[in-house]
Amino acid sequence: MATVMQKIKDIEDEMAKTQKNKATAHHLGLLKAKLAKLRRDLLAPPSKGGGGAGEGFDVTKSGDARVGLVGFPSVGKSTLLNKLTGTFSELLDLPGIIEGAKDGKGRGRQVISTARTCNCILIVLDAIKPITHKRLIEKELEGFGIRLNKEPPNLSFRKKEKGGINFTSTVANTHLDLETVKAICSEYRIHNADVNLRCDATADDLIDVIEGSRIYMPCIYAVNKIDQITLEELEILDKLPHYCPVSAHLEWNLDGLLDKIWEYLALTRIYTKPKGMNPDYEDPVILSSKKKTVEDFCERIHKDMLKQFKFALVWGSSVKHKPQRVGKEHELEDEDVVQIIKKV
């Protein structure tokens, strides 16, 4: 373990003193690939016969979505968690993240294994010093292979049997060239592959695709203790992207934070309406915003429902409107009311 951590430090030191320019791009790309491999090995689960790495912690995944709270000690995570859990049941307070966790310090392996199962990360920051903590936590999560508020890079990578490295692009490149791509691939012992860019990708983007284990998830920055700062300071913080100001102790803007969590989870609430009864607004069926057809709704309720499906009646968010008769391919909207009509 110590040897791997020393190798990581040596590479980071070399990267820090290497000037970034076109001439050093392929060398830096090679170093980044070496670093990614070392961190992957460091954070991999220990072998059964190993020991000494410490036991992980298990949290059974349940519910429709999971939100993980991350933050340094004394930022109010526990208070915020206690205030929110009455409304949002699946919130996880991950063990305190420390600087260097991505390199195996503290409970790095355990944190990553749980954080990667979340659907959204809530980074809790102290309003007195939010920027410093924000950058440190982002660096640690990036080291875990967790990409915050990002989409997967628009590039294709395909191994092949022969033909060497074929590098093409449909856009102008400012970061990658054939020499850099070859250097990164060689570190992974890949000598034959097709690489096609459809965006101005970086060496890190290419490494992420080759590694194939990156997690892309939404993140909200909950800046806590805003009751301790001035209005002018609050206005400066308001310029941060993905930011939500709160005071957990005074319960300021907790509803706003919950609304933002729901927005970032991109879930759709669908209410059921049994025939001759009022809609059930207490227990909605939760669908992903990417899979929200009537067919998805039926499958979520029961796998055999589609066999009996004839058509569906759908009301908008207000049931005062007349229902619309639709087929199973119809896309539902948040807070629609649905009644399934079965075949006789």
Side-chain angles (χ1 to χ4, degrees):
M1 185 71 71
T3 304
V4 175
M5 291 181 69
Q6 185 59 50
K7 287 180 180 178
I8 288 174
K9 184 180 184 306
D10 291 343
I11 292 175
E12 287 180 331
D13 290 344
E14 185 176 351
M15 289 174 62
K17 65 185 181 184
T18 302
Q19 287 189 337
K20 294 181 179 179
N21 54 53
K22 201 167 185 178
T24 61
H26 71 283
H27 178 61
L28 284 170
L30 181 63
L31 292 176
K32 288 179 177 180
K34 289 179 181 290
L35 194 60
K37 288 174 62 182
L38 286 170
R39 286 195 175 134
R40 182 223 303 158
D41 294 341
L42 187 68
L43 293 169
S47 60
K48 292 182 179 179
E55 294 297 324
F57 55 92
D58 296 322
V59 183
T60 303
K61 188 165 185 179
S62 61
D64 300 294
R66 168 178 284 182
V67 179
L69 277 75
V70 180
F72 284 99
S74 304
V75 296
K77 275 196 308 163
S78 297
T79 303
L80 185 60
L81 181 69
N82 291 334
K83 300 286 186 180
L84 292 178
T85 46
T87 311
F88 199 104
S89 60
E90 192 67 10
L91 282 168
L92 298 179
D93 186 1
L94 299 179
I97 197 168
I98 63 170
E99 195 171 357
K102 67 183 185 306
D103 299 326
K105 295 181 181 178
R107 302 182 69 187
R109 184 184 293 115
Q110 295 95 322
V111 171
I112 182 177
S113 63
T114 305
R116 288 168 66 92
T117 67
C118 293
N119 303 95
C120 178
I121 291 290
L122 189 64
I123 294 180
V124 185
L125 302 169
D126 190 323
I128 304 298
K129 45 187 174 183
I131 304 301
T132 303
H133 282 184
K134 175 179 180 288
R135 289 172 178 165
L136 288 172
I137 292 173
E138 285 174 340
K139 184 179 179 182
E140 297 305 321
L141 292 177
E142 283 281 322
F144 286 154
I146 296 174
R147 304 294 180 251
L148 304 174
N149 296 322
K150 293 180 181 178
E151 293 294 327
N154 191 5
L155 67 91
S156 63
F157 175 84
R158 183 179 67 86
K159 293 182 186 179
K160 56 186 181 180
E161 293 297 324
K162 56 184 179 179
I165 301 297
N166 181 36
F167 176 59
T168 58
S169 177
T170 58
V171 298
N173 303 321
T174 61
H175 305 289
L176 288 175
D177 56 25
L178 180 58
E179 189 177 4
T180 305
V181 171
K182 283 184 174 180
I184 293 171
C185 289
S186 68
E187 177 59 29
Y188 287 92
R189 298 182 180 179
I190 298 170
H191 306 293
N192 302 286
D194 290 329
V195 180
N196 177 252
L197 304 189
R198 293 182 291 274
C199 67
D200 190 12
T202 64
D204 293 306
D205 292 331
L206 178 57
I207 291 167
D208 282 354
V209 171
I210 294 174
E211 284 282 334
S213 59
R214 302 316 191 215
I215 300 293
Y216 297 84
M217 70 173 67
C219 172
I220 300 169
Y221 301 92
V223 181
N224 191 26
K225 305 181 183 179
I226 58 171
D227 52 300
Q228 299 180 16
I229 61 174
T230 65
L231 183 59
E232 290 76 14
E233 290 171 318
L234 187 60
E235 289 175 348
I236 293 172
L237 291 176
D238 194 41
K239 297 177 182 178
L240 287 173
H242 313 290
Y243 143 94
C244 186
V246 297
S247 172
H249 176 66
L250 297 177
E251 300 187 11
W252 289 357
N253 199 34
L254 297 189
D255 286 342
L257 177 58
L258 286 169
D259 288 342
K260 204 170 190 72
I261 290 173
W262 186 264
E263 174 192 346
Y264 276 50
L265 287 173
L267 298 176
T268 302
R269 294 161 291 187
I270 306 298
Y271 302 111
T272 58
K273 184 185 183 302
K275 189 175 181 180
M277 300 175 64
N278 291 325
D280 179 5
Y281 292 112
E282 299 300 320
D283 188 20
V285 175
I286 306 298
L287 301 176
S288 163
S289 61
K290 296 179 181 179
K291 294 189 67 177
K292 57 177 184 177
T293 64
V294 172
E295 182 175 357
D296 297 321
F297 171 79
C298 291
E299 288 180 342
R300 190 62 191 270
I301 294 176
H302 197 281
K303 60 182 180 180
D304 292 330
M305 181 168 281
L306 283 173
K307 296 177 182 178
Q308 302 172 296
F309 179 85
K310 185 176 182 181
F311 63 87
L313 295 175
V314 178
W315 288 260
S317 56
S318 172
V319 292
K320 294 179 181 178
H321 298 106
K322 290 183 178 180
Q324 178 185 4
R325 178 171 170 165
V326 300
K328 60 183 179 181
E329 71 285 346
H330 175 79
E331 283 211 348
L332 300 167
E333 299 299 328
D334 189 35
E335 295 195 276
D336 275 356
V337 175
V338 176
Q339 179 179 322
I340 301 299
I341 306 300
K342 298 180 181 179
K343 298 174 183 176
V344 177

